[in-house]
Amino acid sequence: MKNCEYQQIDPQALSTPTPPAAAPGSEKTSLQRPRRKWEVFPGKNRFYCDGRIIVARQSGVLPLTLGLIFVTSGLFFIFDCPFLVRNLTSCIPAIGGVLFFFVVISLLQTSFTDPGILPRATPDEAADIERQIDSSGSSTYRPPPRTKEVVINNQVVKLKYCFTCKMFRPPRTSHCSMCDNCVERFDHHCPWVGNCVGKRNYRFFYTFIVSLSFLTAFIFGCVITHLTLRSQGGKGLIVALQESNIAETPLGFVLNSCCNVLELVVCFFSVWSILGLSGFHTYLVASNLTTNEDIKGSWSGKRGAEDLGNPYSYNNIFKNCCAVLCGPMPPR
């Protein structure tokens, strides 16, 4: 079962029933295309560009994330880069621009990509599953079980029934209460990116937090270097800020000082949390785990049960990283 994975079925490969012949005078009705599943069961997501872009309905923090990135990077390029280019090297804005590009692109890909939403069961599919559950139950008053058991790498894994989507969730799938959808290989719902993180967009999320870690550390180090070079020769911090005043006016001095302090504060408090988050997800990638599984202790014995080991791990860091970050992209 090492190479056996649950995959979504391509809807185009399934045979569709032939629509009935249109009655005279109903050409307009017959030309309407069939509705897609995301149009019938949208959950709490919003779709754009014919379903190619998906965002969570509660995505108000995403503009804040973009604002912090753009403001901090803009202040760095305006107030720090000119001095560092003159006194150090012209590679500094190039490095910052590359990191900024990776951060923004990976953030948008994480936010607007389908995380791996599984379509809900149709009424016929739900009725068929209910019949299977009823046939497996006993004739007593006790209700039939709402779980199934499958064996993955000689380890029993329980599949739970989702009462909202009317189906048994595949392994590593969980129902997100924020988006109201079942997400394959569910990691967590991240309000900072305004979307769930799952099988289809986890690689973009990991690229985002790693590149953001490098960007914040780079800007923080450049700002410290800028002020240190300005304050050489026995000059204090205030004199250094005065010398870095672009407009050479009191208002410019206040603006320049506020911008430098804002850069330092944002980067100082961000770099530690983002570096810690990047390290945590690097551990998850190397172990082929998800945040949901690690918090619940599904395979680590945190529930007080026996430590059974992760059945999805390849017992090799390189193989786990390739499987998580470089595997084929499943269909939408």
Side-chain angles (χ1 to χ4, degrees):
M1 295 283 297
K2 271 290 184 187
N3 300 323
C4 180
E5 294 186 359
Y6 288 80
Q7 298 181 355
Q8 294 176 332
I9 299 175
D10 186 2
Q12 298 178 356
L14 300 177
S15 59
T16 56
T18 304
S26 60
E27 291 83 359
K28 185 177 180 180
T29 304
S30 61
L31 293 177
Q32 294 179 353
R33 65 173 178 83
R35 301 183 67 188
R36 300 182 180 180
K37 282 196 171 183
W38 64 266
E39 296 174 311
V40 181
F41 304 114
K44 293 181 181 179
N45 298 97
R46 290 177 292 181
F47 295 86
Y48 303 96
C49 299
D50 198 24
R52 293 178 177 84
I53 294 179
I54 175 176
V55 294
R57 190 154 300 179
Q58 299 173 344
S59 57
V61 187
L62 176 60
L64 175 61
T65 306
L66 286 170
L68 288 174
I69 294 173
F70 274 90
V71 169
T72 306
S73 301
L75 295 176
F76 166 71
F77 286 117
I78 294 173
F79 291 97
D80 298 302
C81 280
F83 175 83
L84 295 176
V85 168
R86 290 194 305 268
N87 293 271
L88 291 180
T89 174
S90 59
C91 294
I92 290 179
I95 297 173
V98 171
L99 292 175
F100 175 77
F101 175 79
F102 271 100
V103 168
V104 174
I105 293 300
S106 57
L107 172 60
L108 296 179
Q109 285 182 305
T110 306
S111 302
F112 298 148
T113 301
D114 173 16
I117 295 175
L118 296 179
R120 301 184 185 185
T122 62
D124 293 337
E125 294 170 343
D128 183 64
I129 294 176
E130 289 292 339
R131 284 193 295 268
Q132 295 178 14
I133 295 175
D134 293 337
S135 63
S136 63
S138 60
S139 58
T140 62
Y141 67 92
R142 298 184 64 182
R146 292 283 174 171
T147 59
K148 281 185 177 181
E149 291 184 349
V150 296
V151 179
I152 299 179
N153 294 329
N154 300 321
Q155 189 166 328
V156 177
V157 177
K158 287 187 177 182
L159 308 183
K160 296 182 180 180
Y161 181 81
C162 179
F163 289 90
T164 303
C165 300
K166 306 296 182 183
M167 66 176 183
F168 284 98
R169 295 195 289 258
R172 316 189 86 175
T173 300
S174 184
H175 191 91
C176 176
S177 59
M178 301 292 293
C179 297
D180 198 26
N181 283 309
C182 280
V183 179
E184 194 174 12
R185 201 185 181 277
F186 177 78
D187 191 86
H188 69 289
H189 182 93
C190 182
W192 294 99
V193 303
N195 198 2
C196 284
V197 178
K199 187 173 184 179
R200 297 191 75 255
N201 66 345
Y202 183 82
R203 65 191 69 186
F204 305 134
F205 174 77
Y206 183 74
T207 305
F208 165 64
I209 58 176
V210 171
S211 57
L212 185 60
S213 300
F214 281 107
L215 179 62
T216 53
F218 180 75
I219 293 178
F220 183 71
C222 287
V223 174
I224 294 296
T225 303
H226 179 194
L227 296 179
T228 301
L229 293 176
R230 289 280 191 184
S231 59
Q232 284 181 345
K235 300 177 184 179
L237 180 61
I238 301 298
V239 177
L241 291 174
Q242 288 177 342
E243 291 183 353
S244 64
N245 184 5
I246 297 178
E248 296 183 355
T249 61
L251 180 61
F253 168 71
V254 173
L255 179 62
N256 185 76
S257 302
C258 292
C259 291
N260 281 281
V261 171
L262 178 62
E263 285 182 86
L264 286 174
V265 170
V266 172
C267 292
F268 178 79
F269 287 102
S270 299
V271 68
W272 307 113
S273 58
I274 297 173
L275 282 175
L277 184 64
S278 300
F280 172 67
H281 278 276
T282 300
Y283 154 74
L284 294 180
V285 170
S287 306
N288 202 345
L289 284 170
T290 65
T291 303
N292 187 48
E293 292 171 346
D294 184 75
I295 292 177
K296 292 182 177 179
S298 301
W299 318 115
S300 60
K302 292 182 180 179
R303 296 177 175 178
E306 180 183 0
D307 188 359
L308 300 175
N310 182 11
Y312 308 105
S313 176
Y314 291 87
N315 298 320
N316 183 287
I317 295 178
F318 179 76
K319 290 183 178 180
N320 286 336
C321 293
C322 290
V324 176
L325 301 178
C326 305
M329 179 73 75
R332 290 185 292 120

